[in-house]
Amino acid sequence: MDDQTRMLTGLTGLAGLAQADVGDPDSVRKQQSLGQPQQDIGDILQQIMAITDESLDEAQARCWPEESPAHWGGSDDPTEGGRAGGGMAGGGLPLNFQHRKHALNCHRMKPALFSVLCEIKEKTVLSIRGVQEEDPPDPQIMRLDNMLLAEGVSGPEKGGGSAAAAAAAAAAGGSPTDSSIEHSDYRAKLAQIRQIYHSELEKYEQACSEFTNHVMNLLREQSRTRPISPKEIERMVAIIHRKFSSIQMQLKQSTCEAVMILRSRFLDARRKRRNFNKQATEVLNEYFYSHLSNPYPSEEAKEELAKKCAITVSQVSNWFGNKRIRYKKNIGKFQEEANLYAVKTAVDAANVSAQASQANSPATPNSGSPGSYSLSHTGDAYLSLRSLNGEGLNIAPSLQPQVDTLHRATHLTGGYEELSGSGLYTPHRLDANSWQDTTTPPPVTSPPGPPGSVHSDTSN
DNA sequence: TCTGATGATTGGGC
DNA sequence: GCCCAATCATCAGA
């Protein structure tokens, strides 16, 4: 009530100022001629404050005494009407609420008072709110907007999406056909997300617009009976927009999440893992087992292997890395495989050698350009074969057991099954100082040639 | 569904 | 930058 009293005092003062401040003697005369303006203002304010203080029941009881439930019970307390009537200045106004309202609305002082009330309201409550509500632009929304723009979800359709799809395809490392399928798949899914995003955004905007209009109409309607300034309406609109923008942020957030999931699905190569085809694995294994003493292909060898296997150089590196570790971890398990590839390589080399002999042109293992390798012509197995064929090359002592094994396998037993069954091939005995021996530094740290050089095998 | 195989990734060492 | 070792995640066969 203190506030109300202050407002009342302020209002009367302001109202007085509003009229007297102009210093127009005519207006003062006008006021005087119109009766008692100050008293009028006071009366109106009194009415307003009385209305404000009343509870709904009181208002009903006072305005509709004959209809109020209390009076339905037969009460005819004269104070009811007397109280209401007592509040009426001049005593000439009807007791009926609508009449009072109408009288207030039609009062000649109403517009002036109304604007003053609006002004006070704005200066007190709204100014405080205004300070609190003026937030700086949310950096999170900016981030989300930027991301959606970069991903091609918001803004023009071309751009980030395709780039991301291309990146996904490149990362997948699959065949071109696979890549194009992934690409289109990614784009289709991104387009789907984009469509949902825009559809939802449109819905939100429409809802926001409808709700704003609705509230504005309500406020305009109410502004006839209570002080609502245009600024207040603007502020309310801003609040609504802020609320809706927070919903929009949620939409943007979930869209970003969807895009991230999509990206991770397409960009995460682990999810894209495909076993290499049989031929590629054979090529890699052939190289590995034929260079068992130093299975570290040079960059050039890796490139050639990658080309042969239709995979990337890094995939070749991965494969050799995995192979070395897994071989070393469980040599016994890989023994059969080692035997198989040793024999296979030996047979291949034998065929080449035979062809070379027939053509009266001796095979030259190192006839290739430096840095290149030939699966049949280089490596331990080749040396073994040369030995088996009695060509008497210099063989590293570490390879002798393998050579012997192959010799027996190809010339004495003539079959892989007996070879593997007898356990004659023991790659772990190839070299006491070889990479398999974890107690000694692997040859990669101290090879005869450059680390990983394919020729280190032949020279060894 | 389970399990072994396998390609890829990660973190540390050199 | 390469390698090793551990680990993850997926594939593929039983």
Side-chain angles (χ1 to χ4, degrees):
Chain A
M1 191 58 194
D2 287 346
D3 290 341
Q4 287 173 349
T5 314
R6 270 200 301 279
M7 267 184 82
L8 190 65
T9 316
L11 268 175
T12 42
L14 278 168
L17 277 173
Q19 293 186 345
D21 196 35
V22 290
D24 182 5
D26 290 342
S27 67
V28 176
R29 274 196 299 277
K30 214 178 199 175
Q31 282 173 24
Q32 287 166 347
S33 68
L34 285 169
Q36 298 169 327
Q38 296 285 349
Q39 195 187 336
D40 279 355
I41 294 162
D43 289 344
I44 293 164
L45 288 170
Q46 199 73 38
Q47 287 174 47
I48 293 167
M49 300 321 288
I51 291 166
T52 317
D53 286 344
E54 280 176 348
S55 70
L56 195 62
D57 287 342
E58 282 174 337
Q60 260 189 332
R62 187 169 49 75
C63 297
W64 318 99
E66 64 280 10
E67 292 174 26
S68 100
H71 292 277
W72 291 342
S75 168
D76 54 356
D77 186 355
T79 57
E80 292 289 330
R83 210 183 88 197
M88 297 295 165
L93 289 171
L95 292 175
N96 184 288
F97 177 73
Q98 281 187 347
H99 287 179
R100 284 201 302 152
K101 189 178 163 186
H102 180 72
L104 278 170
N105 280 336
C106 297
H107 198 281
R108 65 180 189 284
M109 297 301 294
K110 191 239 176 183
L113 277 169
F114 209 82
S115 68
V116 171
L117 279 168
C118 287
E119 204 176 318
I120 290 169
K121 195 175 173 187
E122 207 154 291
K123 279 181 181 169
T124 55
V125 184
L126 295 179
S127 60
I128 295 163
R129 275 189 199 161
V131 172
Q132 292 168 342
E133 286 167 3
E134 275 171 15
D135 300 324
D138 191 344
Q140 198 183 348
I141 291 180
M142 284 170 70
R143 274 201 302 274
L144 290 171
D145 281 337
N146 286 340
M147 189 194 157
L148 290 172
L149 202 64
E151 291 297 332
V153 176
S154 62
E157 195 158 357
K158 291 173 185 174
S162 302
S175 66
T177 317
D178 287 344
S179 299
S180 59
I181 290 165
E182 306 294 352
H183 190 118
S184 62
D185 201 18
Y186 180 91
R187 279 206 305 193
K189 286 190 171 10
L190 194 71
Q192 216 174 333
I193 291 172
R194 185 187 158 87
Q195 193 187 345
I196 292 167
Y197 171 76
H198 283 287
S199 151
E200 291 296 314
L201 200 65
E202 205 174 319
K203 276 185 204 166
Y204 283 134
E205 276 166 5
Q206 197 181 342
C208 179
S209 165
E210 279 175 11
F211 190 72
T212 306
N213 285 338
H214 179 70
V215 170
M216 278 174 75
N217 287 337
L218 273 176
L219 288 172
R220 281 193 196 117
E221 181 73 26
Q222 288 194 3
S223 70
R224 289 184 214 158
T225 54
R226 66 187 184 92
I228 299 172
S229 67
K231 264 193 177 180
E232 197 180 346
I233 295 175
E234 273 175 32
R235 215 178 297 271
M236 188 59 76
V237 168
I239 289 167
I240 293 166
H241 284 176
R242 220 172 357 248
K243 294 286 175 197
F244 271 88
S245 77
S246 74
I247 298 170
Q248 269 191 19
M249 193 173 80
Q250 284 176 19
L251 171 70
K252 284 174 182 175
Q253 221 160 4
S254 54
T255 307
C256 279
E257 278 171 20
V259 171
M260 291 307 285
I261 290 165
L262 186 68
R263 276 184 73 91
S264 71
R265 269 188 63 191
F266 280 84
L267 289 174
D268 188 355
R270 279 181 178 175
R271 289 180 182 275
K272 298 292 306 152
R273 194 180 76 75
R274 293 277 185 278
N275 288 348
F276 298 157
N277 61 42
K278 203 178 171 184
Q279 193 204 341
T281 311
E282 276 189 8
V283 168
L284 293 166
N285 272 317
E286 274 179 29
Y287 187 95
F288 180 81
Y289 288 111
S290 64
H291 296 77
L292 205 51
S293 64
N294 189 24
Y296 298 88
S298 67
E299 200 56 37
E300 286 167 331
K302 280 180 189 173
E303 279 172 17
E304 196 161 340
L305 282 167
K307 206 174 167 185
K308 274 195 167 185
C309 302
I311 57 177
T312 65
V313 173
S314 63
Q315 282 178 307
V316 172
S317 299
N318 284 338
W319 189 92
F320 273 89
N322 285 323
K323 190 73 180 179
R324 280 192 298 264
I325 290 166
R326 284 161 187 166
Y327 180 87
K328 192 156 70 172
K329 270 187 177 175
N330 197 348
I331 291 170
K333 196 182 85 178
F334 287 94
Q335 192 168 321
E336 274 189 24
E337 194 178 62
N339 289 333
L340 178 67
Y341 280 101
V343 171
K344 185 173 161 39
T345 310
V347 169
D348 286 350
N351 289 338
V352 171
S353 180
Q355 283 171 9
S357 301
Q358 279 177 2
N360 201 17
S361 142
T364 50
N366 291 323
S367 59
S369 62
S372 68
Y373 79 94
S374 169
L375 292 173
S376 306
H377 289 181
T378 60
D380 304 336
Y382 174 75
L383 297 178
S384 305
L385 177 75
R386 296 290 298 270
S387 177
L388 289 168
N389 288 340
E391 293 178 29
L393 269 178
N394 289 330
I395 301 163
S398 63
L399 299 177
Q400 200 54 53
Q402 188 183 9
V403 171
D404 294 338
T405 301
L406 279 169
H407 191 272
R408 275 193 292 272
T410 54
H411 288 95
L412 302 177
T413 64
Y416 162 69
E417 283 184 12
E418 284 182 44
L419 176 75
S420 60
S422 62
L424 292 169
Y425 179 59
T426 53
H428 58 283
R429 290 189 287 113
L430 280 173
D431 187 353
N433 291 325
S434 75
W435 62 277
Q436 292 103 330
D437 189 351
T438 52
T439 59
T440 56
V444 68
T445 55
S446 57
S453 166
V454 292
H455 299 294
S456 64
D457 289 319
T458 53
S459 62
N460 199 20

